[in-house]
Amino acid sequence: MSHPTPTTSPDLIPTTSPHPTPTTSPGPAAATAPNTPDQPSSWAPAASTIALLTTLGVLMVGQMYTVLALLHPMATALGTAPEQVTWTATAFGFAYAAGFLLAGPLSDRYGSRAVITTGLVAATAATLAVSAAPDLPTAIALRGLQGLTAATFAPSALSYVVHHIAPQRRGTALTCITSGMFAAAVLLQIGAQAVAAGLGWRAVFWLSAALMALSLIPVRRVLRPTLRHGTGGGLSQAFAAMPRLLGRPRMIALYLSTVVLMSSFVAIYTAVAIAGPSGIAGNSSAILALRASALPALVAIPVLARLLQRLAAPLRAVLAFALAALTVAAGSFLGGHTVPLALALLLYVAAVAAAAPAVVETINATAPHARGAAVALYGCSMFIGASLGPQLTGALIALGFGGILRVVSAALVLGILLALPALRHHRTR
């Protein structure tokens, strides 16, 4: 994907042309990188890096969604009601958002590989602890700890891509990783349901912890140490970048657009579950099938990444928000027509999967000297939005399924307006 990066930032390609213009040869993945203090002497191999970080993204981000498939068995084991168990998802989500704020500056200071490795060790321990929770309050507290440790992965992974993957491969890498994070919402619910049915809900966390521990081996073999950034202010300098970023109106608008994007994503699927057409609402198998029907979109967007690269990231973001708003508006009038609704959701998920990496690229380009902190704020915005989605649906439940989708569509129009300043700035450069 083309990157609207100022020419003073040498590690992202300029977007004066509508086509991605490689600054290095597009052949070998380890082609020589620009010789600048902020970059490695050669680019990391793209294929193995993308495969590893995408897989880990599914595993780590998906931990937020596993409990949505475990509400009933966890409630039985912990002696409470399923609706009370949803607090384990809320605790994870808000802790995850806070963890992003910590992980980004830590990645800037100590390097992405070091933060990913440390986070995996901590998340393994926290995930095992959740499996041993004897009661609901303990489970909620441990899920918060799990969210805090799991949050170290995503901002570090995105920062690693920006610093180590060649510019002409970078857009594809970001698209694959962010699509994997969206796919996690579906894949890990399906996986958790299958494991819990055979081995019990605690086995879901045992298996997750084992996979996290095993992933330390490829992390150490595939990822490269990252050059440290900044020598003047240490870690405090990395954290100090956040208020400066939040003092820029265009950055605030991009972060708010992320909140809109993710709150709409979660709100829609919550609405399908509790207010959807007859035959879907309250039917866990039908809900999982409907969610799974969106997986082709999450596969198609990475496949189409090279084609999407022809558009500048801010333009892609605006167009994706527009497609999302249109498909949600159309879905609001489909009533009980399940197949057309599934098609509308397929197109909506494709729009979300295209918008997310476009926003990340735009944020990276807008803050070239504090990318870790900038992406951390993006991730925080992302999970704040995800945490607000269910509350939005609950507040609008009286409007019915169609009414909820129409409100969400209006919110996505607001997302378009929030993304427009970045597009205008790109075109005036």
Side-chain angles (χ1 to χ4, degrees), residues 239-312:
F239 281 101
M242 288 186 177
R244 293 196 297 270
L245 292 172
L246 292 175
R248 302 168 65 179
R250 273 187 292 117
M251 294 296 287
I252 294 176
L254 288 169
Y255 293 135
L256 290 176
S257 74
T258 302
V259 172
V260 169
L261 186 70
M262 286 308 300
S263 61
S264 74
F265 182 76
V266 178
I268 286 174
Y269 279 101
T270 304
V272 168
I274 67 175
S278 60
I280 296 178
N283 186 331
S284 59
S285 297
I287 292 168
L288 281 177
L290 190 61
R291 286 172 173 161
S293 70
L295 286 176
L298 297 170
V299 175
I301 293 301
V303 170
L304 296 173
R306 288 187 178 274
L307 178 62
L308 294 173
Q309 288 174 22
R310 297 177 182 273
L311 300 175

Side-chain angles (χ1 to χ4, degrees), residues 36-66:
T36 66
D38 196 34
Q39 292 181 343
S41 58
S42 64
W43 300 118
S48 58
T49 301
I50 292 171
L52 174 62
L53 295 182
T54 300
T55 303
L56 272 176
V58 172
L59 176 63
M60 302 302 283
V61 176
Q63 295 304 310
M64 177 170 179
Y65 304 102
T66 53

Side-chain angles (χ1 to χ4, degrees), residues 138-168:
T138 304
I140 291 172
L142 291 174
R143 279 281 291 174
L145 180 61
Q146 187 193 26
L148 188 66
T149 55
T152 57
F153 170 76
S156 302
L158 297 175
S159 181
Y160 183 90
V161 167
V162 170
H163 286 104
H164 286 277
I165 299 298
Q168 67 271 19

Side-chain angles (χ1 to χ4, degrees), residues 129-424:
V130 173
S131 72
D135 51 47
L136 182 62
T138 304
I140 291 172
L142 291 174
R143 279 281 291 174
L145 180 61
Q146 187 193 26
L148 188 66
T149 55
T152 57
F153 170 76
S156 302
L158 297 175
S159 181
Y160 183 90
V161 167
V162 170
H163 286 104
H164 286 277
I165 299 298
Q168 67 271 19
R169 305 286 180 86
R170 199 172 293 151
T172 299
L174 289 172
T175 300
C176 289
I177 293 169
T178 54
S179 294
M181 292 176 185
F182 280 109
V186 175
L187 294 175
L188 263 71
Q189 283 192 68
I190 296 172
Q193 183 173 324
V195 172
L199 301 174
W201 70 269
R202 296 183 191 274
V204 173
F205 296 99
W206 298 339
L207 181 59
S208 294
L211 292 174
M212 290 176 194
L214 289 173
S215 68
L216 287 166
I217 298 172
V219 163
R220 299 299 293 179
R221 289 182 176 177
V222 174
L223 302 187
R224 298 178 177 182
T226 305
L227 295 174
R228 295 185 179 184
H229 314 295
T231 57
L235 186 58
S236 61
Q237 184 182 61
F239 281 101
M242 288 186 177
R244 293 196 297 270
L245 292 172
L246 292 175
R248 302 168 65 179
R250 273 187 292 117
M251 294 296 287
I252 294 176
L254 288 169
Y255 293 135
L256 290 176
S257 74
T258 302
V259 172
V260 169
L261 186 70
M262 286 308 300
S263 61
S264 74
F265 182 76
V266 178
I268 286 174
Y269 279 101
T270 304
V272 168
I274 67 175
S278 60
I280 296 178
N283 186 331
S284 59
S285 297
I287 292 168
L288 281 177
L290 190 61
R291 286 172 173 161
S293 70
L295 286 176
L298 297 170
V299 175
I301 293 301
V303 170
L304 296 173
R306 288 187 178 274
L307 178 62
L308 294 173
Q309 288 174 22
R310 297 177 182 273
L311 300 175
L315 178 58
R316 271 185 282 121
V318 170
L319 292 177
F321 268 104
L323 177 60
L326 287 172
T327 53
V328 172
S332 71
F333 296 102
L334 293 175
H337 303 288
T338 304
V339 174
L341 177 61
L343 179 60
L345 290 178
L346 175 72
L347 293 174
Y348 166 72
V349 171
V352 171
V359 173
V360 171
E361 291 175 60
T362 305
I363 287 172
N364 275 325
T366 309
H369 302 298
R371 292 193 186 97
V375 173
L377 288 169
Y378 163 80
C380 180
S381 303
M382 184 177 177
F383 274 84
I384 287 175
S387 299
L388 292 175
Q391 280 67 39
L392 175 63
T393 298
L396 301 173
I397 193 72
L399 298 178
F401 183 71
I404 293 171
L405 263 62
R406 284 188 281 275
V407 172
V408 170
S409 179
L412 288 166
V413 172
L414 174 61
I416 297 173
L417 298 177
L418 290 168
L420 280 176
L423 178 59
R424 284 196 292 267

